[in-house]
Amino acid sequence: MIILKNVHKRFGNLHVLRGVDLNVRAGEVVVIIGPSGSGKSTLLRTVNHLEPIEKGEIWVDGIPVHQQKDLRTVRSKVGMVFQQFNLFPHLTALQNVTLAPTLVLNRTKEEPASKAMALLKKVGLEQKAQAYPPQLSGGQQQRVAIARALAMDPKIMLFDEATSALDPELVGEVLGVMRQLAADGMTMMVVTHEMGFARDVADRVVFMDDGVVMEEGKPEQIFANPQNPRTKQFLSRVLEK
Amino acid sequence: MNWHVVVESKGVLLGGFLVTLQLSFWAILLGTSLGLVVALIRTTHVPVLSQAARVYIDIFRGSPLLMQLFFVYFGLPYLGFEVEKWLAATLALTLYSGAYIAEIIRAGMEAVPKGHREAAASLGLSFYEMMRYVVIPQTITVALPPLIGFYIGLVKDTSLATIIGYRELIRESQGIIDRTARPLEVYAAVAALYFIICYPLSVWSTRLERRSTAHL
């Protein structure tokens, strides 16, 4: 479903991605962990071409993203959820969800609206459909953002530290929605600091450091028996909290 | 005080008032359209174009409107374009206000978080759709109060068009004063007429500001 081959990316002199290879199969949940500055968020953002790459290849569902072709198609197949939610504050929760399907998929007004209500119900917010984002809590905003991404019927969902900006007591409600999605068979790439989520939900855990994939494997293997010394060091630091 | 002179000349004053109203309307409409286009050019960072926009803004914000009126009215004929007074006044006010409005709109656009553009892009929206449905609506909320403030100033600035002999409100009142020698009464009436145009604008601005903070 997603193929990354020798992906390189620089910000000025900073070489953030130094040859990343990663494949994600349909229906797989891949969780990317690693210290901040390891390039994991940047990697995620290359998949839907929010970050262009300098070298390497990225294929999403058979489309060569690195050639910058069919970006609209790629982006309509790839949903993304951001750390800062990025809901459109001038639109209601419902309008946030219906905007893209109405414009990009050229659907009539009624169909996206009923589908959006179903999605808001799925994330537990059907009673907030008419609320504006500033009236919602962080957890509620992020759940609307997930519904908004799902409204495009994506084949893949990208989560870029989706719970990092939330108050601790609101993290659970967002992770709950993500677990449900994974259980429904969605192909997911998740960048997170929630090790519990990685352990329970991931089919595969990828550890990144210094712009490369240091180690990958099944969660029980990575967490119980990491091979790379950097992985060991990172896990001992985060798990001891 | 002798208000009789004002009543006597009400036809002339009203004519001047309508000319001022018309000039204000076109300056606001055309200046805003020009400003929007220039702001878009500035923010898209197309090399030569965005520098040209920058130069235009600097020149027209950095020189007096009075000079701009002179250059348009007396300068264009040198280049072979005869311009009538109404056209020269409208053109100069459009160029002048376009430069200011471009900066007001640009500031409003830059107040929209980058993440909102990324979210729009990640949903597959085209550049036009992103601007139309995500960036510009938010820009309007931010930029409209300062924009209306500028419009109020612009209405009053139309009075400078009198300098090229355009028969707007000030020019007409000057004529009445020359005839009647009652400057105080005539100017009071003129001030009231400007107020009639400006006051609704400032009420509108206050109301918008209240509404834009309502659901924040």
Side-chain angles (χ1 to χ4, degrees):
Chain A
M1 183 66 80
I2 307 172
I3 301 168
L4 302 167
K5 272 190 212 163
N6 191 29
V7 170
H8 284 263
K9 166 83 192 173
R10 288 167 198 274
F11 291 121
N13 287 326
L14 203 63
H15 201 165
V16 259
L17 298 177
R18 313 164 170 256
V20 177
D21 291 284
L22 186 67
N23 294 339
V24 179
R25 290 185 300 277
E28 202 179 11
V29 177
V30 171
V31 174
I32 306 169
I33 59 171
S36 42
S38 59
K40 52 194 192 310
S41 281
T42 308
L43 183 71
L44 203 66
R45 291 160 56 85
T46 63
V47 173
N48 63 352
H49 206 265
L50 283 185
E51 299 289 355
I53 60 170
E54 272 107 50
K55 205 174 132 191
E57 293 179 17
I58 298 176
W59 297 79
V60 172
D61 201 24
I63 302 170
V65 179
H66 55 285
Q67 293 174 8
Q68 307 194 22
K69 279 185 195 151
D70 283 335
L71 277 185
R72 199 163 154 104
T73 317
V74 168
R75 286 172 170 170
S76 68
K77 288 181 180 194
V78 179
M80 188 162 197
V81 177
F82 300 84
Q83 185 175 350
Q84 297 300 338
F85 330 133
N86 292 334
L87 290 182
F88 307 133
H90 59 296
L91 301 177
T92 63
L94 185 67
Q95 289 168 334
N96 264 278
V97 180
T98 54
L99 180 67
T102 315
L103 293 174
V104 181
L105 306 176
N106 289 319
R107 299 211 174 127
T108 54
K109 276 263 170 351
E110 295 75 27
E111 195 195 337
S114 62
K115 184 152 183 257
M117 281 311 291
L119 285 167
L120 286 174
K121 193 170 178 188
K122 186 173 174 174
V123 299
L125 289 171
E126 73 269 37
Q127 75 284 8
K128 296 286 187 189
Q130 300 309 325
Y132 285 90
Q135 299 164 331
L136 301 173
S137 74
Q140 291 171 331
Q141 289 191 51
Q142 194 60 299
R143 286 186 282 152
V144 173
I146 294 173
R148 176 175 71 177
L150 290 175
M152 295 294 290
D153 287 323
K155 291 189 161 185
I156 299 161
M157 285 286 283
L158 309 175
F159 291 86
D160 186 6
E161 304 203 23
T163 58
S164 298
L166 295 176
D167 292 338
E169 76 271 20
L170 301 176
V171 168
E173 62 191 64
V174 172
L175 289 182
V177 172
M178 291 167 64
R179 278 173 203 270
Q180 185 57 47
L181 264 182
D184 293 347
M186 176 64 75
T187 307
M188 290 163 65
M189 270 178 93
V190 182
V191 168
T192 187
H193 295 291
E194 297 291 331
M195 295 303 144
F197 179 84
R199 196 177 343 216
D200 298 349
V201 183
D203 295 308
R204 192 151 39 108
V205 173
V206 172
F207 174 72
M208 275 185 77
D209 199 5
D210 275 341
V212 290
V213 173
M214 288 277 174
E215 188 170 359
E216 57 178 303
K218 294 212 167 298
E220 49 274 25
Q221 177 200 326
I222 298 282
F223 285 107
N225 188 20
Q227 300 301 308
N228 190 303
R230 299 280 274 279
T231 320
K232 282 182 198 169
Q233 197 190 10
F234 174 73
L235 287 174
S236 71
R237 248 185 288 143
V238 288
L239 293 178
E240 127 194 330
K241 280 193 277 182
Chain B
M1 290 295 230
N2 180 2
W3 294 102
H4 197 63
V5 295
V6 173
V7 180
E8 260 179 5
S9 340
K10 63 180 188 298
V12 181
L13 278 174
L14 194 67
F17 172 75
L18 290 179
V19 170
T20 288
L21 193 64
Q22 205 175 9
L23 186 57
S24 303
F25 172 80
W26 286 111
I28 288 173
L29 188 75
L30 297 174
T32 305
S33 314
L34 178 65
L36 181 63
V37 172
V38 174
L40 282 171
I41 291 172
R42 275 270 277 142
T43 49
T44 47
H45 304 291
V46 181
V48 179
L49 276 178
S50 69
Q51 279 141 20
R54 176 82 250 193
V55 169
Y56 156 67
I57 290 168
D58 284 345
I59 288 176
F60 281 87
R61 288 208 312 172
S63 60
L65 174 57
L66 210 54
M67 299 298 118
Q68 295 167 19
L69 280 159
F70 280 144
F71 274 108
V72 171
Y73 185 61
F74 298 111
L76 285 183
Y78 266 106
L79 302 173
F81 304 99
E82 281 305 326
V83 276
E84 289 184 47
K85 286 171 180 162
W86 69 269
L87 183 59
T90 309
L91 193 59
L93 281 162
T94 299
L95 290 169
Y96 165 79
S97 59
Y100 278 91
I101 291 169
E103 285 297 274
I104 294 172
I105 293 177
R106 185 185 61 86
M109 281 178 176
E110 282 172 3
V112 178
K114 186 164 158 263
H116 292 185
R117 294 165 183 256
E118 290 185 343
S122 78
L123 287 164
L125 269 61
S126 64
F127 179 78
Y128 167 76
E129 288 165 343
M130 177 185 79
M131 281 305 196
R132 164 75 181 76
Y133 295 98
V134 176
V135 178
I136 291 179
Q138 296 192 63
T139 303
I140 289 173
T141 315
V142 179
L144 211 47
L147 209 49
I148 295 170
F150 179 76
Y151 291 161
I152 293 170
L154 188 60
V155 169
K156 293 181 282 187
D157 286 343
T158 59
S159 60
L160 288 176
T162 191
I163 208 77
I164 56 168
Y166 187 44
R167 299 182 60 175
E168 42 66 74
L169 189 48
I170 295 287
R171 191 82 186 176
E172 296 291 24
S173 65
Q174 215 73 57
I176 301 168
I177 292 165
D178 290 347
R179 256 188 306 109
T180 62
R182 307 294 307 187
L184 222 50
E185 291 86 343
V186 174
Y187 279 140
V190 167
L193 289 171
Y194 276 106
F195 186 79
I196 287 171
I197 308 180
C198 296
Y199 185 65
L201 285 172
S202 73
V203 170
W204 183 32
S205 167
T206 316
R207 204 174 289 171
L208 277 171
E209 232 164 318
R210 224 179 289 143
R211 200 194 312 159
S212 73
T213 49
H215 54 249
L216 292 180

